[in-house]
Amino acid sequence: MKLHEHEAKDVFKAEGIPVPRSVLATDPEGVARAAREAGFPCVLKSQVLRGGRGKAGLIKLVRSEPEARDTAAALFASPHGVRRILVEEAVDIDRELYLSITVDPAAAEAVVLACSEGGVEIEDLAARSPEKIVRERVPLAEGLSPYRARNVAYALGLSGDAAKKTAGILEALWRVFRKNDAELAEINPLFLTKGGGVVAGDGKLAIDDNSLFRHPGREPGRDYYDSDAAFEAAAEGIPYLQFDGDISLMCAGAGLTTVVYDLIVDEGGSVANYLEFGGPNYKKAVRAMELCLKNEPKVILIVTFGTIARADVMAEGIADAVKRLAPKCPIVACIRGTGEEKAVETLRSLGLDPLFDTEEAVRKAVALAAAARGSGAAPGAGGSK
Amino acid sequence: MKLHEHEAKDVFKAEGIPVPRSVLATDPEGVARAAREAGFPCVLKSQVLRGGRGKAGLIKLVRSEPEARDTAAALFASPHGVRRILVEEAVDIDRELYLSITVDPAAAEAVVLACSEGGVEIEDLAARSPEKIVRERVPLAEGLSPYRARNVAYALGLSGDAAKKTAGILEALWRVFRKNDAELAEINPLFLTKGGGVVAGDGKLAIDDNSLFRHPGREPGRDYYDSDAAFEAAAEGIPYLQFDGDISLMCAGAGLTTVVYDLIVDEGGSVANYLEFGGPNYKKAVRAMELCLKNEPKVILIVTFGTIARADVMAEGIADAVKRLAPKCPIVACIRGTGEEKAVETLRSLGLDPLFDTEEAVRKAVALAAAARGSGAAPGAGGSK
Amino acid sequence: MSVFIDRSDRVLVQGITGGEGTFWTKHMRDLGTDVVAGVTPGKEGQSVEGVPVYHTVRRAVAEHPADAAMLFVPPRFTKDAVLEALDAGIRKVVTIADGIPLHEALEIRAAARSCGARVVGGNTSGVISPGRAMMGMFPYWIERVYRPGRIGVMTRSGSLTNEVTAMIVRAGFGVSSLLGVGGDSVPGTRFAEFLPDFQADSGTDAVVVIGELGGTMEEEVAEAIESGVFCKPLVAFLGGRNAPAGKRMGHAGAIVTGGKGTVEGKAAALKRAGAAVADRPRAVGDLLREILGDPAHS
Amino acid sequence: MSVFIDRSDRVLVQGITGGEGTFWTKHMRDLGTDVVAGVTPGKEGQSVEGVPVYHTVRRAVAEHPADAAMLFVPPRFTKDAVLEALDAGIRKVVTIADGIPLHEALEIRAAARSCGARVVGGNTSGVISPGRAMMGMFPYWIERVYRPGRIGVMTRSGSLTNEVTAMIVRAGFGVSSLLGVGGDSVPGTRFAEFLPDFQADSGTDAVVVIGELGGTMEEEVAEAIESGVFCKPLVAFLGGRNAPAGKRMGHAGAIVTGGKGTVEGKAAALKRAGAAVADRPRAVGDLLREILGDPAHS
C-alpha cells in the first residue's frame, strides 16, 4: 500500500527527517490561504498516487495568492482525481540527491539505492547509467549501521556537514523502512539547500500489504482505488484490477488469471476487469459476479483449474450467482479440477455449455464480445448456449 | 549496576509481567499503613542489595498492623542498612519456578536459565543437580523467538494456560533484558498461583555499567555503596572496594592490584581498601590518596608497572598528594614502567625509598602494618625511610 | 531419485491439529510421504491420523528424527515456525502460508541461507514427486494430472500449474518432481537454486519453468544455464506477457516496476541462454515433443 | 613465525586522526608494523605520520588492501567500527576500547565468529610480537621487558602482564607473541581460541597464561589441553586467589558469582590437565626454568 506524499512526509518528520514546512488543503480557497502563510513563491503538490507528477503538470510553483487559487482550481478540476493539495514552502536548492531503501529478494536483505542526481527516475538511471547508482546492502539482522550510512554518503561524493547530515537521514529512513514494514522508502529528491541544510523534497512510502495488520489505521480508503468495484473487491480481499475493455474475467488462481488476460489480448479481445476468486475466495462466486457486472461487460469469462479451490463448489456458487443476479451478458465457463464431474453437471443444469480447454474458452469469449459489439447489444443470460 | 527489587519490579510491570500489588514505605508508620491497605497477611521485604534476604531475616510475613509496625521498626534498626521496605500482598502460591536471562560470553549469545524449583539459588542447583536446569540459547540477532519461550515452558513440565503465560512472561523478560542492557534479568521465584495466574515473586535486574550512559536517571546513589569512600570513588570513576583491614592499596592496573591483594593476604596482612588509579585515572594520585586516608590505614601501599600510565607522572602525583595531604601513615612505593628513572628521583626527593620488586614491597607493607598494630600508633609520613 | 523429497524423507508437520494440517496430513501419507510426527503447542499426547503430536519441534525430533518440516501455520507465525524447525536441525521446510509479511520473508530466507537450509514457499501448493511423496496441498486426483514421469517442473503458481502440467501430460510426458516456489515477491527458495538438483537427478530429462512477470527469478535461470550449472533442456512458460506496467497481477511478486521484470525481458534472456519459451500453455507440450521426441517411441 | 600479527601483515588504523590514534600509529610503525592506511570519517585526504587517511574502511582498502584493523575508537562506537572492518573483508581486529557495552560485546563476538574473523579486546593493550610487529599501545621501552624469545603469553591484564613478563625475562626467556585478550567479561577472542596458533607456531616453546578470577576462560584452556589441541608446556598465573566472592576486582570480567569463576577451581582444572600453576609472579620464571631448562644452556 502506497502512502500519499503528505502521509509519507509525516512519517519521515516523526523519525527526524527534515521536510519543508507545508499545509494540506482540500479546496482552492484553502490552498490560497495556505500559500499566503507559506509565502511566495511556494509549491502546490497534488496528492495523487502516481509517479511523474511533475511531468504530468500536477506540481506547480505559484508566485501570488490569485495564482495559487487559480492553479489549485485547475488541479482540482483535472482528470487526475486530485482531492488534496500539499502547499509547501519553496526550498533554496543547491543540489538534489536520490535516496531509497527497498528489498533485495535474492540476497534476502534490504538494499539502499542512492544517486548524486536527484529527481531522476531511478529505473531510467539504472538502465541508462547504472554506474551512477550507489548500492549498499543491509542485512536485516545487522540493520543499517552508521558505517553503512557513511559508506553511502561518501560514495555520493559528499563531504563535511552534508555527508554527516545525509548519513543521519539515511539512518532515519532505515527506521522508517523497518517500523513501517516498507516495500519501499524513498526520498527523491533529497535537497541540499544553499544554507547547508538537507531536506526531503518528496516522500514515498509503500507498506507491505501482508504487514498491514500491524499498522492499524493504515487501511487504504476509497481514493486508493481507481473504481468502486476495485475498492469493494479489496474490502472482500478479492484481487481485482480495473480495465476498460468488455470481457470480465472471473477466474481462479493468480497465475491462471494472468494467462487468461494474456490470451484475450493475443486474440484481439479486451478485458473489463481482472478478478481472481480462487484461494480463500473460492466460495465467493456471487460477490465476484456482482463486481464483474458493475462493469456492464459484454461477456463474463470463467476459467479455473483448482485443486484446493474445488470445481464443484465454484460451480454451485456460479449457479447461485446466475440465479440471483440474472446477468444479461453471456457466460463462458471452463472449470476443471477437484470435483470436475459434478461441476460440469451443475453448469449444464444452468444451461451453460462448459468447456475444458482454456484457449478455446478464450476464443469463444472474444468472439462473443466482438459479436456483441457488432450488434450493439449483449445477448441474454445463457447466451453462450 | 544492580537495581533494587522494587525498581526491577517497576520495570517488569511496565513490560507486562504481573507482579504482586505493593507499596514502598520508608518508616514503620508508612509500613503499617501500607500493610493495612494490602490486607493481612502481607509481606515486608527489605530493599537491600544482597542475596539470601529470606535466610537473613530481611523478608517477613506479618498478620496484623501492630506486627507490621513492630517488624518494620526492627528491620529499619537492623545492621543491614534497610532504608526502604516493600509492602506486598501475599500471593496464593501453588508452585514456584526460577526464570532468568543472562549472557554466555563463550557462545556470544544470551541464555535463558529456568528451573521448575523456584526460590532456589541457581548456582547451588547448578552444582547440586545441573540436570534440573533448563537452558535455552538466545542469539541476539534472532532474539527470544516465541518458539524458544515455548521450549522453556514445556521443558519445565508446564502445560495449558500456565505454559502459555510463562512463555509470555519469558518473552517480556527478554524485552526487559534487551531494553535495559542487562547483565542479568531474573525472576526467582515466579509464582504459579492457585487461581491460575503467573506472578513475579521477586525481581532482579543488573544493568551493564558500560551501558549506563544509555539509561539516564539510573546512576547509582549513595545507598548502592557500602562506604562514603566507595561512593566518592565511583563518582570519580576510580575502581574502589571497601574492606576493613589496615593496608590501603593505591595501585595501578586491575590485574596487578588484585595480585597485590592476594600477596598481602598470603603474607598475613589485611587490606583496608582496593583502589586502582591506573588507566584513565593515572593522574589522579591526590584524589586516590584522599580516598585511602578516609580509612585511616596503617600503611599506604603503592604498586604500579605502567606502560601508558606513566611512572613519572604517577610519582609526581604522589609527591603532590604527600605534600597536600601530609599522610601520617608510612607509604611503601614500588613504581615501575614508562619514565621509571624520573619516578625514582621524584620519590627519593620525597624521602621515600622506592622498591622495584612487588613481593618485597608487599612484605614491607605487611611488616609495617604489623608494627603499627603492635605499637598502637602509626609512624609519621615517610616512615618507610 | 527425486528432487527435494522422496519416500525416504521423514516429515514433521507443524500445525498438524488445525483443519488444514489434519486434512493434508492424510493426503500426504496417502501419497507416500513418511509423516513421522506433528507439532502443535499445547497438544502433546494427541494424535492425528495416527501421527503423534508434540508441543515443540525439539520435543518431536527428539523422539522422531525428521529431515523435513511441512508448515500449516498462519502467515504471521510462519517465521517463528521456520526458525523453530531450523533450530531443531531440520534443513528442508515447506510453507503454504499465503500472506507472510515481507520483512519476515527476508528473515526466513536469510536464516535458511545462513544454515544451508531450504525453505520452499510461502504462497505455494508445495512440492510433489508423483508416485513417491508430497508436501503441501495436492489432493489425490492430482496424480492423474501430475502423472509420474521424467519432466521436472518449477512454478510460481497453483492453478496455472495444473493448466500447464495437463499439457505436459497430454503430450505424453509425466512429472518427476514439481516444486512450487510460490507467488510471493520473496520466496524462500528461488528457481535457479533448484537447477543443480534437477541437473543431478537421473530421473529428470528436462525441466519446465512456469514463471511470470515480476522479479528476476527467470533471469537467474537464464544465467544458470549460461554458466553451465544446468545443461538439460528447459522449456519456460511465462504469464503476464500483456500485463500493464505497475499493476500487480494477483501474486505479490507479479508486478512490473520501472521497466524491470517484464515477460519480454525474461523471455529474451531465456532464449539467449538456449531455453525454449512457450507462448501459450499448449505450446509447452509441443516444445517438449520437439526437443525430447515422442515419448511413446522412447 | 608469530601468532596473530607479523611484519607481513598490512594494518589499517581506524580512528587514526585522534590523539591516541596518531600517537600509537607512530609507535606501531616504529616497532615494525606495516601500517598501510588510516580511517576517520570526514578526514579523507589528510595523512598521519605519512599514512594516508580515508573516510571509510571500504575506501581505504580499495586503495590499500589490509589484513588487520587497529581500532582507536571510543567504546560506544566500537561495534560499528568492528562491523565496518569485517564488512570490508578484514579478518583480524584489535580494539583497545575500555567500556564496550555488554550486549554490543556479544554482538561483536557473534559477528566475528559468523565470518571466521578474530577480534581481540576490548579493554586490552593489544598484541605484540616483540621485534616484529605490534598492534595496540605498547611503548618503545616495552621491548626491553618483552624481550624477543620463545615464550607465548596470553593475558587479561595490562600492568600485571608487565609484572609477569619481567619475571619471564628475568628467568632468561623472551616473548614470541603476546596477546592481550582484555579484561572485559565478553572478550572478542578467548584464551583457548589462540592455543591452536601457539601449538602451530614453531617460534613458541611454551605458553604463559595470565588469568584471573571470573569467567571460564582458564577452564577452557584446561579443556583444550585435555582434548589434545595444545600439547606444549603451559604455565598459568592467576590473580584474585584471595578475592572475596561477589566483589568485582577492577576488570569487568573479574568477579566470582555463585561459586563460579574462583581461582581455586581454575587452578585445579589446569593442574588436572597437566599445566603448571604459579602461585606468584616470580614463580612463573621458576616454573619455566624447571620445565624448559636454563635458556642460557639451550
PDB file of all heavy atoms in Angstrom, chain D residues 61-84:
ATOM      1  N   VAL D  61      40.570   0.291   1.972  1.00  0.00           N
ATOM      2  CA  VAL D  61      41.089  -0.991   1.497  1.00  0.00           C
ATOM      3  C   VAL D  61      41.037  -1.090  -0.033  1.00  0.00           C
ATOM      4  O   VAL D  61      41.763  -1.882  -0.622  1.00  0.00           O
ATOM      5  CB  VAL D  61      40.379  -2.207   2.140  1.00  0.00           C
ATOM      6  CG1 VAL D  61      40.577  -2.196   3.653  1.00  0.00           C
ATOM      7  CG2 VAL D  61      38.917  -2.259   1.774  1.00  0.00           C
ATOM      8  N   ALA D  62      40.167  -0.285  -0.649  1.00  0.00           N
ATOM      9  CA  ALA D  62      40.149  -0.269  -2.113  1.00  0.00           C
ATOM     10  C   ALA D  62      41.503   0.192  -2.642  1.00  0.00           C
ATOM     11  O   ALA D  62      41.982  -0.280  -3.674  1.00  0.00           O
ATOM     12  CB  ALA D  62      39.036   0.640  -2.621  1.00  0.00           C
ATOM     13  N   GLU D  63      42.150   1.104  -1.908  1.00  0.00           N
ATOM     14  CA  GLU D  63      43.461   1.614  -2.319  1.00  0.00           C
ATOM     15  C   GLU D  63      44.610   0.831  -1.685  1.00  0.00           C
ATOM     16  O   GLU D  63      45.681   0.708  -2.274  1.00  0.00           O
ATOM     17  CB  GLU D  63      43.585   3.093  -1.910  1.00  0.00           C
ATOM     18  CG  GLU D  63      42.541   4.004  -2.527  1.00  0.00           C
ATOM     19  CD  GLU D  63      42.692   4.119  -4.037  1.00  0.00           C
ATOM     20  OE1 GLU D  63      43.839   4.131  -4.514  1.00  0.00           O
ATOM     21  OE2 GLU D  63      41.655   4.174  -4.741  1.00  0.00           O
ATOM     22  N   HIS D  64      44.375   0.345  -0.467  1.00  0.00           N
ATOM     23  CA  HIS D  64      45.451  -0.296   0.307  1.00  0.00           C
ATOM     24  C   HIS D  64      44.917  -1.570   0.944  1.00  0.00           C
ATOM     25  O   HIS D  64      44.424  -1.532   2.070  1.00  0.00           O
ATOM     26  CB  HIS D  64      45.958   0.639   1.414  1.00  0.00           C
ATOM     27  CG  HIS D  64      46.299   2.004   0.931  1.00  0.00           C
ATOM     28  ND1 HIS D  64      47.525   2.312   0.374  1.00  0.00           N
ATOM     29  CD2 HIS D  64      45.572   3.142   0.886  1.00  0.00           C
ATOM     30  CE1 HIS D  64      47.533   3.584   0.024  1.00  0.00           C
ATOM     31  NE2 HIS D  64      46.361   4.115   0.314  1.00  0.00           N
ATOM     32  N   PRO D  65      44.998  -2.694   0.250  1.00  0.00           N
ATOM     33  CA  PRO D  65      44.489  -3.937   0.836  1.00  0.00           C
ATOM     34  C   PRO D  65      45.081  -4.138   2.226  1.00  0.00           C
ATOM     35  O   PRO D  65      46.280  -3.891   2.434  1.00  0.00           O
ATOM     36  CB  PRO D  65      44.988  -5.006  -0.138  1.00  0.00           C
ATOM     37  CG  PRO D  65      45.166  -4.281  -1.431  1.00  0.00           C
ATOM     38  CD  PRO D  65      45.583  -2.891  -1.071  1.00  0.00           C
ATOM     39  N   ALA D  66      44.257  -4.540   3.172  1.00  0.00           N
ATOM     40  CA  ALA D  66      44.699  -4.682   4.557  1.00  0.00           C
ATOM     41  C   ALA D  66      44.214  -6.002   5.126  1.00  0.00           C
ATOM     42  O   ALA D  66      43.155  -6.509   4.759  1.00  0.00           O
ATOM     43  CB  ALA D  66      44.184  -3.520   5.400  1.00  0.00           C
ATOM     44  N   ASP D  67      45.012  -6.584   6.023  1.00  0.00           N
ATOM     45  CA  ASP D  67      44.647  -7.831   6.702  1.00  0.00           C
ATOM     46  C   ASP D  67      44.043  -7.578   8.057  1.00  0.00           C
ATOM     47  O   ASP D  67      43.330  -8.422   8.585  1.00  0.00           O
ATOM     48  CB  ASP D  67      45.893  -8.682   6.983  1.00  0.00           C
ATOM     49  CG  ASP D  67      46.784  -8.805   5.796  1.00  0.00           C
ATOM     50  OD1 ASP D  67      46.296  -9.332   4.783  1.00  0.00           O
ATOM     51  OD2 ASP D  67      47.947  -8.368   5.861  1.00  0.00           O
ATOM     52  N   ALA D  68      44.470  -6.474   8.665  1.00  0.00           N
ATOM     53  CA  ALA D  68      44.167  -6.284  10.076  1.00  0.00           C
ATOM     54  C   ALA D  68      43.754  -4.842  10.313  1.00  0.00           C
ATOM     55  O   ALA D  68      44.203  -3.932   9.617  1.00  0.00           O
ATOM     56  CB  ALA D  68      45.391  -6.619  10.924  1.00  0.00           C
ATOM     57  N   ALA D  69      42.870  -4.657  11.300  1.00  0.00           N
ATOM     58  CA  ALA D  69      42.437  -3.307  11.661  1.00  0.00           C
ATOM     59  C   ALA D  69      42.718  -3.066  13.137  1.00  0.00           C
ATOM     60  O   ALA D  69      42.403  -3.904  13.978  1.00  0.00           O
ATOM     61  CB  ALA D  69      40.952  -3.131  11.378  1.00  0.00           C
ATOM     62  N   MET D  70      43.333  -1.914  13.409  1.00  0.00           N
ATOM     63  CA  MET D  70      43.595  -1.496  14.777  1.00  0.00           C
ATOM     64  C   MET D  70      42.648  -0.354  15.085  1.00  0.00           C
ATOM     65  O   MET D  70      42.656   0.668  14.392  1.00  0.00           O
ATOM     66  CB  MET D  70      45.057  -1.039  14.882  1.00  0.00           C
ATOM     67  CG  MET D  70      45.448  -0.538  16.251  1.00  0.00           C
ATOM     68  SD  MET D  70      45.407  -1.882  17.454  1.00  0.00           S
ATOM     69  CE  MET D  70      44.539  -1.082  18.810  1.00  0.00           C
ATOM     70  N   LEU D  71      41.823  -0.532  16.128  1.00  0.00           N
ATOM     71  CA  LEU D  71      40.788   0.468  16.417  1.00  0.00           C
ATOM     72  C   LEU D  71      41.174   1.376  17.578  1.00  0.00           C
ATOM     73  O   LEU D  71      41.369   0.900  18.701  1.00  0.00           O
ATOM     74  CB  LEU D  71      39.472  -0.231  16.786  1.00  0.00           C
ATOM     75  CG  LEU D  71      38.517  -0.587  15.654  1.00  0.00           C
ATOM     76  CD1 LEU D  71      39.196  -1.402  14.584  1.00  0.00           C
ATOM     77  CD2 LEU D  71      37.297  -1.314  16.189  1.00  0.00           C
ATOM     78  N   PHE D  72      41.255   2.681  17.304  1.00  0.00           N
ATOM     79  CA  PHE D  72      41.326   3.682  18.374  1.00  0.00           C
ATOM     80  C   PHE D  72      40.022   4.470  18.315  1.00  0.00           C
ATOM     81  O   PHE D  72      39.964   5.584  17.790  1.00  0.00           O
ATOM     82  CB  PHE D  72      42.546   4.593  18.195  1.00  0.00           C
ATOM     83  CG  PHE D  72      43.843   3.864  18.348  1.00  0.00           C
ATOM     84  CD1 PHE D  72      44.605   3.518  17.241  1.00  0.00           C
ATOM     85  CD2 PHE D  72      44.272   3.474  19.611  1.00  0.00           C
ATOM     86  CE1 PHE D  72      45.785   2.816  17.394  1.00  0.00           C
ATOM     87  CE2 PHE D  72      45.462   2.780  19.769  1.00  0.00           C
ATOM     88  CZ  PHE D  72      46.226   2.442  18.657  1.00  0.00           C
ATOM     89  N   VAL D  73      38.986   3.833  18.788  1.00  0.00           N
ATOM     90  CA  VAL D  73      37.614   4.316  18.630  1.00  0.00           C
ATOM     91  C   VAL D  73      36.948   4.216  20.004  1.00  0.00           C
ATOM     92  O   VAL D  73      37.168   3.241  20.704  1.00  0.00           O
ATOM     93  CB  VAL D  73      36.886   3.424  17.585  1.00  0.00           C
ATOM     94  CG1 VAL D  73      35.406   3.657  17.598  1.00  0.00           C
ATOM     95  CG2 VAL D  73      37.472   3.648  16.190  1.00  0.00           C
ATOM     96  N   PRO D  74      36.167   5.215  20.410  1.00  0.00           N
ATOM     97  CA  PRO D  74      35.526   5.148  21.732  1.00  0.00           C
ATOM     98  C   PRO D  74      34.631   3.919  21.866  1.00  0.00           C
ATOM     99  O   PRO D  74      34.105   3.419  20.863  1.00  0.00           O
ATOM    100  CB  PRO D  74      34.700   6.439  21.797  1.00  0.00           C
ATOM    101  CG  PRO D  74      35.314   7.352  20.786  1.00  0.00           C
ATOM    102  CD  PRO D  74      35.847   6.457  19.702  1.00  0.00           C
ATOM    103  N   PRO D  75      34.454   3.438  23.092  1.00  0.00           N
ATOM    104  CA  PRO D  75      33.711   2.185  23.314  1.00  0.00           C
ATOM    105  C   PRO D  75      32.349   2.145  22.645  1.00  0.00           C
ATOM    106  O   PRO D  75      31.965   1.137  22.070  1.00  0.00           O
ATOM    107  CB  PRO D  75      33.556   2.116  24.835  1.00  0.00           C
ATOM    108  CG  PRO D  75      34.489   3.094  25.409  1.00  0.00           C
ATOM    109  CD  PRO D  75      34.963   4.020  24.342  1.00  0.00           C
ATOM    110  N   ARG D  76      31.614   3.266  22.688  1.00  0.00           N
ATOM    111  CA  ARG D  76      30.249   3.187  22.174  1.00  0.00           C
ATOM    112  C   ARG D  76      30.189   3.180  20.656  1.00  0.00           C
ATOM    113  O   ARG D  76      29.142   2.916  20.085  1.00  0.00           O
ATOM    114  CB  ARG D  76      29.362   4.279  22.775  1.00  0.00           C
ATOM    115  CG  ARG D  76      29.725   5.673  22.431  1.00  0.00           C
ATOM    116  CD  ARG D  76      28.827   6.654  23.159  1.00  0.00           C
ATOM    117  NE  ARG D  76      29.201   6.783  24.577  1.00  0.00           N
ATOM    118  CZ  ARG D  76      28.648   7.648  25.418  1.00  0.00           C
ATOM    119  NH1 ARG D  76      27.665   8.436  25.000  1.00  0.00           N
ATOM    120  NH2 ARG D  76      29.050   7.747  26.651  1.00  0.00           N
ATOM    121  N   PHE D  77      31.293   3.434  19.994  1.00  0.00           N
ATOM    122  CA  PHE D  77      31.322   3.338  18.530  1.00  0.00           C
ATOM    123  C   PHE D  77      32.106   2.111  18.062  1.00  0.00           C
ATOM    124  O   PHE D  77      32.311   1.918  16.865  1.00  0.00           O
ATOM    125  CB  PHE D  77      31.939   4.595  17.923  1.00  0.00           C
ATOM    126  CG  PHE D  77      31.246   5.863  18.345  1.00  0.00           C
ATOM    127  CD1 PHE D  77      31.959   6.929  18.879  1.00  0.00           C
ATOM    128  CD2 PHE D  77      29.872   5.990  18.216  1.00  0.00           C
ATOM    129  CE1 PHE D  77      31.319   8.091  19.283  1.00  0.00           C
ATOM    130  CE2 PHE D  77      29.216   7.154  18.614  1.00  0.00           C
ATOM    131  CZ  PHE D  77      29.944   8.198  19.155  1.00  0.00           C
ATOM    132  N   THR D  78      32.531   1.314  19.011  1.00  0.00           N
ATOM    133  CA  THR D  78      33.407   0.192  18.656  1.00  0.00           C
ATOM    134  C   THR D  78      32.689  -0.866  17.839  1.00  0.00           C
ATOM    135  O   THR D  78      33.223  -1.380  16.860  1.00  0.00           O
ATOM    136  CB  THR D  78      34.008  -0.419  19.934  1.00  0.00           C
ATOM    137  OG1 THR D  78      34.835   0.579  20.548  1.00  0.00           O
ATOM    138  CG2 THR D  78      34.853  -1.638  19.613  1.00  0.00           C
ATOM    139  N   LYS D  79      31.443  -1.189  18.220  1.00  0.00           N
ATOM    140  CA  LYS D  79      30.715  -2.207  17.453  1.00  0.00           C
ATOM    141  C   LYS D  79      30.627  -1.794  15.986  1.00  0.00           C
ATOM    142  O   LYS D  79      30.893  -2.599  15.091  1.00  0.00           O
ATOM    143  CB  LYS D  79      29.318  -2.397  18.034  1.00  0.00           C
ATOM    144  CG  LYS D  79      28.463  -3.372  17.232  1.00  0.00           C
ATOM    145  CD  LYS D  79      27.057  -3.474  17.783  1.00  0.00           C
ATOM    146  CE  LYS D  79      26.042  -3.474  16.664  1.00  0.00           C
ATOM    147  NZ  LYS D  79      24.664  -3.383  17.151  1.00  0.00           N
ATOM    148  N   ASP D  80      30.267  -0.547  15.745  1.00  0.00           N
ATOM    149  CA  ASP D  80      30.143  -0.075  14.370  1.00  0.00           C
ATOM    150  C   ASP D  80      31.473  -0.191  13.635  1.00  0.00           C
ATOM    151  O   ASP D  80      31.527  -0.635  12.486  1.00  0.00           O
ATOM    152  CB  ASP D  80      29.646   1.374  14.372  1.00  0.00           C
ATOM    153  CG  ASP D  80      29.307   1.866  12.981  1.00  0.00           C
ATOM    154  OD1 ASP D  80      28.496   1.203  12.310  1.00  0.00           O
ATOM    155  OD2 ASP D  80      29.843   2.897  12.559  1.00  0.00           O
ATOM    156  N   ALA D  81      32.554   0.189  14.325  1.00  0.00           N
ATOM    157  CA  ALA D  81      33.868   0.151  13.680  1.00  0.00           C
ATOM    158  C   ALA D  81      34.290  -1.287  13.385  1.00  0.00           C
ATOM    159  O   ALA D  81      34.875  -1.569  12.325  1.00  0.00           O
ATOM    160  CB  ALA D  81      34.905   0.849  14.562  1.00  0.00           C
ATOM    161  N   VAL D  82      33.983  -2.196  14.298  1.00  0.00           N
ATOM    162  CA  VAL D  82      34.327  -3.600  14.054  1.00  0.00           C
ATOM    163  C   VAL D  82      33.536  -4.135  12.864  1.00  0.00           C
ATOM    164  O   VAL D  82      34.095  -4.757  11.955  1.00  0.00           O
ATOM    165  CB  VAL D  82      34.050  -4.465  15.307  1.00  0.00           C
ATOM    166  CG1 VAL D  82      34.172  -5.945  14.973  1.00  0.00           C
ATOM    167  CG2 VAL D  82      34.998  -4.094  16.444  1.00  0.00           C
ATOM    168  N   LEU D  83      32.233  -3.868  12.855  1.00  0.00           N
ATOM    169  CA  LEU D  83      31.406  -4.356  11.742  1.00  0.00           C
ATOM    170  C   LEU D  83      31.889  -3.767  10.422  1.00  0.00           C
ATOM    171  O   LEU D  83      31.877  -4.439   9.395  1.00  0.00           O
ATOM    172  CB  LEU D  83      29.930  -3.999  11.978  1.00  0.00           C
ATOM    173  CG  LEU D  83      29.255  -4.685  13.167  1.00  0.00           C
ATOM    174  CD1 LEU D  83      27.787  -4.264  13.259  1.00  0.00           C
ATOM    175  CD2 LEU D  83      29.355  -6.204  13.071  1.00  0.00           C
ATOM    176  N   GLU D  84      32.327  -2.509  10.461  1.00  0.00           N
ATOM    177  CA  GLU D  84      32.825  -1.884   9.233  1.00  0.00           C
ATOM    178  C   GLU D  84      34.075  -2.615   8.729  1.00  0.00           C
ATOM    179  O   GLU D  84      34.206  -2.884   7.532  1.00  0.00           O
ATOM    180  CB  GLU D  84      33.140  -0.402   9.478  1.00  0.00           C
ATOM    181  CG  GLU D  84      33.629   0.290   8.213  1.00  0.00           C
ATOM    182  CD  GLU D  84      33.826   1.802   8.371  1.00  0.00           C
ATOM    183  OE1 GLU D  84      33.705   2.309   9.502  1.00  0.00           O
ATOM    184  OE2 GLU D  84      34.096   2.448   7.335  1.00  0.00           O
TER     185      GLU D  84
END
